[in-house]
């Protein structure tokens, strides 16, 4: 059950080693914490948490092919990747992250695991569903008429683009290809 | 990692959303972005905007805005209590008392933007696979790749895009017609005719193009080398069986006129010194082919035009004689102009010209076809162009019908006509070539009545057969041809023997399978007759052939039975596969067989590479080619003919004629191509010729070499009488010096006329060099005066003498014998002096064979070994050769400086470009700059003294060198300076005579080689 290959990138003839993607959310009391949400800071914080929870061995296991694949500072979404064999170590260590530190500032926060998926794609799909749910919840709970209007607008915007996405997005795509 | 992988990865990731982080400004958020939140109605645009921001992360223009925009949201989402000021100055200042409102809207906007980004990522397929490949297997349908409608509806759009892309990627179909139409015979012939307008195709072009690398050279499309691996196989064929070559690209000039007139003028362009003359008795009778070197009229030994071979038509009673001069196409224009000049043939003869050179074999047939089919097919065509029959081009397709191809002299009535491509010439090389010939060709049967009164087929032959004298001649020819079966090698027949013959259609007796033609020992009959053939050659009459008669040739060409008809007749045979007997319908073709002597000079492998040439009337190329192939011959291209001449150690046209215009042209082209090849490599990966001490790796500076040797000789004062003062004008002195020795003068007498000229020119050259004071570049000298600056020694007598002097005396009796046989003088100053005087700037064709290891290459340097080298060699038998000490690159510094300067200038130019945006002018400037540039690893022009640049004195250069399969060691052919050679021979010990050192341009190692001059 050891890692399939020692190198970070296996040779192209072999299929890639199985991986897991962990989608989580950074929750913090302090809005300035958002500044700290970046690749390096998040990675360091998670690694530190793993080291605390599982020691050197656990850290080494998890660090094979561990990266931050995506993050969004405005929504606090973070997508982490690690080997499938050791994602349990990662998941168990995530609640132990207590703070993010970057540029000599540190802010307390915690990680909320949303989803564990086998591909980035499933995580993205989950994220869409999740965000949509959040928006709907927001819409239901809102008390003010103007607020309701603006939220409805944003909900409509994202759902609308989904309808139009086929044409609009692909034109975008074509542009990038001609570059 | 490698760039390619990065790129691939980038392509894969381009649809993935990038991470979004806050701008990199530390510290607390600014209090109150003045234009914080966009109006709530503009959410969609904001979403797009955010997407863009995701794309261009951390880019300055967007940051401040985005920061302003998002800080309130973040603050609101995270903690209610703390940073209220964030949105205080927001556009919705009215909502200050209801913080939840703002919170919710920015929160929603961030979420919406993320949803958009994710949706985009999810909707795009990430892999490189096609759409239907991403479907699960149970949803796939067979026709999905062709028809979009087989796909699920939701994928239609993507699949349509994909299909369009695939069409774009496919090669644009240039041809409007479909393949079937293109391959239709008429269209195919039209296409072939179009393609051979620019470069002449040989008749075997299609056959060759399928099997050979073709190159365009000298206005022809020629086969260079076979695509299969056949280097050794071709050599084996040359030595053991038979190698076939299509030499139809050789040009034939026909001279027609009175014998005396012809000979009188032709004597001016050649010299008895170099061997044959046009008037040599055995050639004049038409029994033998001769070969000689042509010079500009009265210019011998300068202004070489090139080597030619010639055949006289046997005498037929009248005073008018016909003469064919065969030459390489590269030399044709020069020789033709010279001939026109000496015969004063300026008027184009008009009667001859209108004859259509594109003879139409199938013209009538095809027009018939066109008419019959035209109703069906052509009507649908846009325009009825059926009136134009498509004819296959036979002969020279590039000829302009308006241009004259034959010229006549008003004074003497001599006619020169350009017969190139009118007569085909195949060359069979190898000891069994006569077996191939005898098996393939069958003498024509006698025929007394016409097969069909309507056609002209064979009417000339019927006419001929009525004359009993001619019939007996034909029988005599046939008998001699059959005798050839009994000989063991073509080399046994006297060199250049010509045999005329009339043969039947060789396609008739085509064997069913390809077999190797072998001599039949049972046919070893008439030993006496064979011996008589060896000794006396072919009787006079037998050299006659009807191929000399243009009308007969034309008749034969036009009345060829087409391949299709022949196959049709074969199909109608009662017993399938039996011999086809055409009876009177069989064509009779006049041919000319010419024996090619093999290796004549030298002592080893006498007669190697001998064979037969066969001349055919045009139009019959493939009809003879295929039957030859079926006799197991191997076919070679230009490379093989080069190797053939290399193993024969003869100079090859035009590579090894540095003094004729074609040779100069060739050398220039070779230099350019080699230089291009050199420049294509990165500087660190190519040889630095400056460091290796190679002055000119791509070109042999013959002019510079001979000049330097002349100067050396003058400086050393060797071979010059002490009483003789050093002056510039040595011409007159040279003559006066020769005076006291009458016999010597006599020997040099043929050249005395020219001595003056050469001297004059050389003194001119000397003056020029003095003017420029040694800085004159060889490039300049090369361009302006190469033709006069040096000559190639071709005088047979002198060469013979040199050859004898080159022999070491280790086999003393042999040398003595040789010397006595050739009637040579011992090498003394008395013998050397006149040679040096009369040929101050001459080079000599030599061949070198390496003593031990080593593989000489093109432009390798021939150097004189020092005494230490000899000492070392005699001590250590395994001594390979000395090493050249490394030179230092004196140009490197300059080049680096230039580069720096150029860079600076480029930067300036870029600024200018940005201002003016005027690319063409700048590119021009760059080109000129590049031209001036020094190239790292090459000597830039004025070359220093080439002879003394390295540790060993330079003698000459190799023009062709390779491992010789025939000799089993490295062999090289090249030229050395005559002065240098004599200098070396004079000083070398008697048992080491002719030992030289060879060094390839890209190496420091010298190798010992033996120098030989074979005459």
């Amino acid at each position: 059950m050891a890692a399939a290959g020692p190198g970070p990138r296996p040779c192209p003839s072999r299929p890639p080693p199985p991986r897991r993607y962990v989608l989580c959310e950074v929750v913090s009391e302090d809005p300035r914490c958002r500044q700290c949400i970046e690749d390096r800071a998040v990675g360091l914080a998670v690694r530190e948490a793993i080291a605390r929870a599982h020691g050197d061995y656990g850290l080494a296991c998890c660090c094979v092919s561990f990266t931050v694949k995506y993050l969004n500072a405005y929504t606090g979404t973070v997508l982490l990747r690690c080997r499938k064999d050791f994602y349990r170590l990662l998941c168990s260590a995530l609640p132990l992250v207590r703070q993010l530190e970057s540029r000599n500032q540190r802010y307390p926060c915690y990680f909320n695991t949303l989803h564990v998926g086998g591909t980035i794609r499933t995580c993205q799909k989950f994220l869409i569903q999740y965000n949509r749910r959040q928006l709907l919840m927001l819409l239901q709970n809102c008390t003010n008429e103007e607020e309701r209007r603006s939220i409805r607008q944003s909900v409509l915007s994202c759902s609308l683009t989904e309808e139009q996405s086929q044409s609009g997005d692909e034109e975008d795509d074509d542009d990038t290809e001609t570059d | 990692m490698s760039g390619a992988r990065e790129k691939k990865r980038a392509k894969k990731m381009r649809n993935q959303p990038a991470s979004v982080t806050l701008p990199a400004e530390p510290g607390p958020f600014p209090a109150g972005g003045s234009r914080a939140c966009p109006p709530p109605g503009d959410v969609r645009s904001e979403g797009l905007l955010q997407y863009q921001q995701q794309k261009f992360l951390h880019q300055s223009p967007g940051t401040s805005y985005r920061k302003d925009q998002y800080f309130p949201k973040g603050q609101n989402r995270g903690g209610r209590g703390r940073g209220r000021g964030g949105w205080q100055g927001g556009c919705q200042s009215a909502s200050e008392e209801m913080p939840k409102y703002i919170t919710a809207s920015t929160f929603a906007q961030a979420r919406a933007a993320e949803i958009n980004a994710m949706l985009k990522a999810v909707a795009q397929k990430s892999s490189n696979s096609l759409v239907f490949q991403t479907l699960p297997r149970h949803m796939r349908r067979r026709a999905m790749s062709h028809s979009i409608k087989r796909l699920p509806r939701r994928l239609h759009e993507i699949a349509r895009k994909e299909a369009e892309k695939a069409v774009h990627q496919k090669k644009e179909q240039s041809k409007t017609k479909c393949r079937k139409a293109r391959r239709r015979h008429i269209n195919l012939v039209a296409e072939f005719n179009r393609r051979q307008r620019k470069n002449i195709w040989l008749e075997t072009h299609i056959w060759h193009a399928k099997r050979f690398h073709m190159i365009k050279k000298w206005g022809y499309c020629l086969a260079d080398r076979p695509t299969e691996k056949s280097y050794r196989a071709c050599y084996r064929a040359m030595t053991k069986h038979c190698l076939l070559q299509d030499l139809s690209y050789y040009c034939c000039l026909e001279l027609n006129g009175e014998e005396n007139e012809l000979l009188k003028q032709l004597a001016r362009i050649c010299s008895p010194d170099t061997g044959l003359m046009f008037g040599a008795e055995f050639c004049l009778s038409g029994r033998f082919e001769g070969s000689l070197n042509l010079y500009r009229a009265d210019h011998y030994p300068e202004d070489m035009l090139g080597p030619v071979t010639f055949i006289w038509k046997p005498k037929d009673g009248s005073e008018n004689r016909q003469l064919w001069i065969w030459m390489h196409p590269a030399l044709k224009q020069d020789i033709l102009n010279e001939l026109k000049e000496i015969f004063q043939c300026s008027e184009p003869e008009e009667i001859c010209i209108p004859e259509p050179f594109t003879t139409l074999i199938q013209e009538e047939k095809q027009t018939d076809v066109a008419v019959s089919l035209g109703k069906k097919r052509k009507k649908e065509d846009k325009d009825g162009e059926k009136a134009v029959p498509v004819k296959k081009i036979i002969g020279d397709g590039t000829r302009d019908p308006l241009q004259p191809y034959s010229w006549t002299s008003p004074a003497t009535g001599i006619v020169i006509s350009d017969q190139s491509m009118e007569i085909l010439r195949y060359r069979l090389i190898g000891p069994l070539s006569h077996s191939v010939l005898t098996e393939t060709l069958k003498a024509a049967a006698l025929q007394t009545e016409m097969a069909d009164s309507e056609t002209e087929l064979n009417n000339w032959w019927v006419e001929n057969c009525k004359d009993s004298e001619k019939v007996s001649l034909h029988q005599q020819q046939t008998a001699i041809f059959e005798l050839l079966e009994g000989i063991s090698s073509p080399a046994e027949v006297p060199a250049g023997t010509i045999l005329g013959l009339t043969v039947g259609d060789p396609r008739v007796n085509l064997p069913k399978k390809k077999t190797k033609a072998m001599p039949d020992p049972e046919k070893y009959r008439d030993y006496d007759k064979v011996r008589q053939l060896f000794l006396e050659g072919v009787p006079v009459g037998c050299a006659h052939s009807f191929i000399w008669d243009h009308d007969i040739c034309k008749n034969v060409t036009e009345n060829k039975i087409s391949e299709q008809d022949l196959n049709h007749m074969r199909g109608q045979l009662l017993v399938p596969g039996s011999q086809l007997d055409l009876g009177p319908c069989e064509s009779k073709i006049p041919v000319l067989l010419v024996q090619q002597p093999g290796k004549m000079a030298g002592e080893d492998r006498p007669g190697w590479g001998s064979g037969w040439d066969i001349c055919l009337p045009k139009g019959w190329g493939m009809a003879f080619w295929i039957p030859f192939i079926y006799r197991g011959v191997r076919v070679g291209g230009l490379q093989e003919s080069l190797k053939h001449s290399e193993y024969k150690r003869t100079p090859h046209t035009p590579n090894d004629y540095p003094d004729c215009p074609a040779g100069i042209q060739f050398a220039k082209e070779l230099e350019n191509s080699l230089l291009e090849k050199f420049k294509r490599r990165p500087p660190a990966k190519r040889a630095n010729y400056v460091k290796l001490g190679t002055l000119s790796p791509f070109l042999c500076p013959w002019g510079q070499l001979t000049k330097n040797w002349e100067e050396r000789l003058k400086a050393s004062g060797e071979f010059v009488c002490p009483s003789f003062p050093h002056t510039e004008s040595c011409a007159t002195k040279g003559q006066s010096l020769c005076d006291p020795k009458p016999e010597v003068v006599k020997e040099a007498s043929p050249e005395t006329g020219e001595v003056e000229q050469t001297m004059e020119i050389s003194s001119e050259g000397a003056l020029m060099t003095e003017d420029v004071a040694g800085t004159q570049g060889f490039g300049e000298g090369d361009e302006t005066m190469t033709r006069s600056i040096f000559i190639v020694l071709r005088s047979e007598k002198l060469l013979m003498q040199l050859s004898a002097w080159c022999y070491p005396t280790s086999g003393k009796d042999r040398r003595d014998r040789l010397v006595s046989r050739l009637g040579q003088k011992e090498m003394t100053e008395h013998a050397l002096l006149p040679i040096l005087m009369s040929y101050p700037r001459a080079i000599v064709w030599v061949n070198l064979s390496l003593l031990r290891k080593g593989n000489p290459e093109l432009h390798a340097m021939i150097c004189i070994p020092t005494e230490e080298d000899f000492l070392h060699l005699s001590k250590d038998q395994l001594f390979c050769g000395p090493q050249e000490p490394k030179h230092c690159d004196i140009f490197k510094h300059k080049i680096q400086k230039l580069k720096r300067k150029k860079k600076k200038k480029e930067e300036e130019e870029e600024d200018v470009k940005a201002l003016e945006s005027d690319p063409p002018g700048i590119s021009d400037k760059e080109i000129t700059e590049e031209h001036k540039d020094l190239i790292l690893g090459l000597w830039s022009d004025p070359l220093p003294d080439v002879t003394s640049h390295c540790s060993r004195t330079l003698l000459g250069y190799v023009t062709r060198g390779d491992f010789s399969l025939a000799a089993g060691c490295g062999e090289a052919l090249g030229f050395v300076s005559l002065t240098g050679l004599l200098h070396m021979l004079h000083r070398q010990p008697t048992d080491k005579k002719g030992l030289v050192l060879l060094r390839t341009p890209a190496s420091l190692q010298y190798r010992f080689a033996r120098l030989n001059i074979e005459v």
Side-chain angles (χ1 to χ4, degrees), chain B residues 431-583:
Chain B
L432 292 189
S433 46
H434 58 276
S435 308
V436 173
L437 278 179
T438 47
E439 248 183 65
T440 313
L441 308 178
K442 292 280 171 280
L446 292 180
Q447 186 183 354
T448 44
E449 52 190 49
M450 298 287 289
D452 191 352
S453 54
E454 280 177 33
T455 62
E456 290 183 323
L457 176 71
N458 291 343
N459 59 356
W460 59 275
W461 183 243
V462 172
E463 201 95 331
N464 179 56
C465 286
K466 283 173 188 157
D467 190 341
S468 64
E469 226 175 85
K470 285 180 179 168
V471 169
S472 73
L473 178 66
H474 175 66
Q475 277 159 350
Q476 206 181 343
Q477 282 175 343
T478 314
I480 287 179
F481 180 64
E482 278 163 4
L483 273 185
L484 289 182
E485 284 177 50
I487 64 174
S488 63
S489 158
E492 294 173 2
V493 182
T497 303
I498 294 172
L499 177 63
L501 201 61
T502 308
V503 297
D505 196 331
R507 292 174 292 179
V508 172
N509 53 4
L510 198 67
K512 275 186 215 112
K513 266 188 165 178
K514 197 165 154 181
T515 48
K516 250 188 181 174
M518 287 313 225
D520 191 352
E522 278 182 21
K523 291 187 177 153
Y524 247 117
R525 59 195 172 191
D526 295 335
Y527 182 71
D528 289 337
K529 274 191 191 168
V530 173
R531 204 170 58 175
Q532 199 185 349
L533 179 68
F534 293 166
L535 293 178
E536 291 169 21
V538 176
V540 183
C542 290
H544 178 265
S545 168
F546 291 103
I547 201 170
W548 288 97
D549 193 330
H550 294 306
D551 294 332
I552 290 177
C553 276
K554 202 174 153 219
N555 181 328
V556 168
T557 305
E558 280 173 18
N559 292 308
K560 184 187 159 197
I561 303 174
S562 75
E563 200 75 26
Q564 189 187 7
D565 292 349
L566 210 65
N567 285 336
H568 191 66
M569 279 186 257
R570 273 202 195 112
Q572 284 180 338
L573 280 176
L574 274 180
V575 183
S578 61
Q579 184 91 20
L580 187 66
D581 186 13
L582 290 175

Side-chain angles (χ1 to χ4, degrees), chain A residues 8-12 25-39 68-77 81 103 105 107 120-121 123-125 127-135 138 142-151 153-155 157-162 164-167 169-174 176-177, chain B residues 1 5 9 11 13-29 40-44 48 50-51 54-55 66-67 70-71 73-80 82-83 92 98-126 154 157-158 161 165:
Chain A
R9 282 189 68 88
C11 71
E25 196 182 28
V26 184
V27 184
S28 169
E29 291 289 304
D30 191 343
R32 283 171 298 177
C33 179
R34 252 134 250 297
Q35 286 169 22
C36 299
I37 302 183
E38 14 165 81
D39 280 0
V68 180
K69 287 303 282 185
Y70 168 78
L71 53 78
N72 191 336
Y74 298 106
T75 58
T77 321
R81 183 186 77 183
R103 299 194 201 96
Q105 292 170 39
Y107 300 99
I120 297 180
R121 207 177 168 82
C123 291
Q124 284 168 339
K125 280 177 180 167
L127 190 60
I128 295 168
Q129 295 303 322
Y130 176 76
N131 280 341
R132 214 173 262 168
R133 260 203 316 263
Q134 294 249 305
L135 283 181
L138 202 65
C142 73
T143 50
N144 180 301
E145 192 49 41
E146 208 170 332
E147 185 177 307
R148 181 182 295 271
R149 195 167 56 84
S150 105
I151 293 170
Q153 204 102 37
S154 36
V155 171
S157 84
C158 66
S159 51
L160 255 181
T161 45
E162 189 192 13
Q164 295 169 347
S165 70
Q166 295 303 350
S167 55
D169 283 352
E170 266 160 70
E171 272 162 25
D172 258 1
D173 182 36
D174 282 356
T176 52
E177 264 189 24
Chain B
M1 287 289 158
R5 189 186 276 179
R9 189 178 153 71
K11 197 182 169 197
M13 297 303 293
R14 67 166 189 239
N15 290 322
Q16 294 299 326
S19 304
V20 181
T21 51
L22 288 182
E25 276 161 60
F29 52 85
D42 200 25
V43 186
R44 170 153 162 66
L48 280 177
Q50 196 198 353
Y51 176 59
Q54 285 175 356
K55 267 179 153 178
R66 203 178 50 176
K67 192 179 75 191
Y70 278 108
F71 261 100
K73 170 208 71 182
Q75 160 231 345
N76 292 327
R77 200 195 82 77
R80 315 266 130 113
R82 261 177 148 254
Q92 279 121 4
M98 313 178 282
K100 266 188 184 172
Y101 170 75
I102 297 294
T103 306
S105 86
T106 47
F107 181 87
Q109 277 161 17
R111 290 299 182 280
E114 196 175 53
I115 287 178
N116 271 331
M118 289 300 151
L119 270 178
K120 185 176 152 49
V122 170
Q124 223 84 45
K125 62 183 185 61
S126 57
R154 67 188 165 88
E157 198 74 356
I158 308 171
K161 285 254 155 72
K165 244 179 244 165

Side-chain angles (χ1 to χ4, degrees), chain B residues 278-432:
Chain B
F278 279 103
E281 187 47 47
F282 61 103
C283 292
L284 197 59
S285 64
R287 287 167 61 207
F288 295 98
E289 186 193 48
S291 65
L292 44 73
N293 293 314
L294 292 189
Y295 291 83
R296 294 269 308 276
D298 308 326
H299 274 232
Y300 175 82
E302 292 164 39
D303 287 338
M304 163 90 175
L305 285 175
V308 296
T309 61
F310 63 94
I311 303 173
W312 286 94
K313 185 186 175 184
K315 281 180 188 146
D316 51 357
S318 72
E319 264 302 290
N320 265 14
R321 295 295 302 267
Q322 235 171 315
L323 169 69
W324 275 352
I325 302 177
W326 286 86
M327 71 207 73
H328 194 273
L331 316 169
K332 179 179 142 188
Q333 214 46 51
D334 297 319
I335 293 179
L336 184 61
N337 288 342
E338 190 62 27
L339 284 178
K340 273 199 274 183
E341 204 166 293
I342 59 167
F343 287 112
Q344 285 146 4
C345 293
S346 48
E347 285 181 22
E349 189 176 310
E350 275 158 33
I351 314 131
C352 247
I353 303 136
E355 160 199 352
F357 285 100
T358 59
T359 327
L360 0 153
I361 311 185
Q362 299 139 327
E363 184 191 11
E364 276 167 39
K365 214 185 300 155
Q366 276 185 351
T367 39
D368 285 350
V369 170
V371 167
S372 60
L373 290 179
K375 280 160 205 160
K376 247 194 274 171
R377 203 195 307 149
K378 291 282 166 87
K379 261 179 199 166
E380 296 150 17
D381 275 4
K382 324 136 217 164
D383 46 347
E385 47 177 3
K386 63 182 176 185
V388 185
V390 184
K391 333 156 203 174
K392 198 170 153 192
I393 293 181
I394 297 170
D396 188 346
T398 59
R399 276 196 173 183
D400 184 357
L402 298 175
Q403 227 175 308
Y405 283 93
S406 139
W407 300 266
T408 179
S409 149
T412 52
I414 286 170
V415 181
I416 302 173
S417 54
D418 182 359
Q419 292 285 324
S420 31
M421 296 306 291
E422 299 292 295
I423 310 285
L424 306 181
R425 188 168 182 143
Y426 293 161
R427 176 163 291 175
L428 296 139
I429 302 164
L432 292 189

Side-chain angles (χ1 to χ4, degrees), chain B residues 340 614 800:
Chain B
K340 273 199 274 183
I614 177 168
M800 216 110 77

Side-chain angles (χ1 to χ4, degrees), chain B residues 996-1009:
Chain B
V996 292
L997 289 172
L998 263 187
R999 181 163 75 94
T1000 49
S1003 149
L1004 291 171
Q1005 178 75 46
Y1006 288 98
R1007 307 271 184 196
F1008 279 106

Side-chain angles (χ1 to χ4, degrees), chain B residues 765-820:
Chain B
L767 281 175
M768 260 188 82
T769 52
E770 277 188 356
D771 280 350
V772 200
T775 54
Q776 174 214 20
F778 93 95
E780 187 193 3
D782 199 51
E783 274 153 37
T784 53
M785 353 186 272
T786 332
R787 288 187 61 183
S788 53
I789 208 166
F790 70 93
I791 58 163
V792 176
L793 188 69
R794 292 201 175 84
S795 158
E796 279 200 331
K797 248 185 214 161
L798 275 179
L799 285 177
M800 216 110 77
Q801 196 160 33
L802 282 174
S803 164
W805 283 340
C806 281
Y807 275 107
T809 27
S810 54
K812 189 157 173 83
D813 49 305
R814 195 182 67 171
R815 178 152 182 254
D816 287 345
R817 222 186 320 130
L818 215 121
V819 167
S820 63

Side-chain angles (χ1 to χ4, degrees), chain B residues 832-848:
Chain B
L832 291 181
L833 207 55
I835 302 176
L836 287 175
M837 279 304 140
S838 48
Y839 295 103
R841 292 191 176 184
I843 52 177
V844 193
W845 174 252
V846 295
N847 60 65
L848 306 126

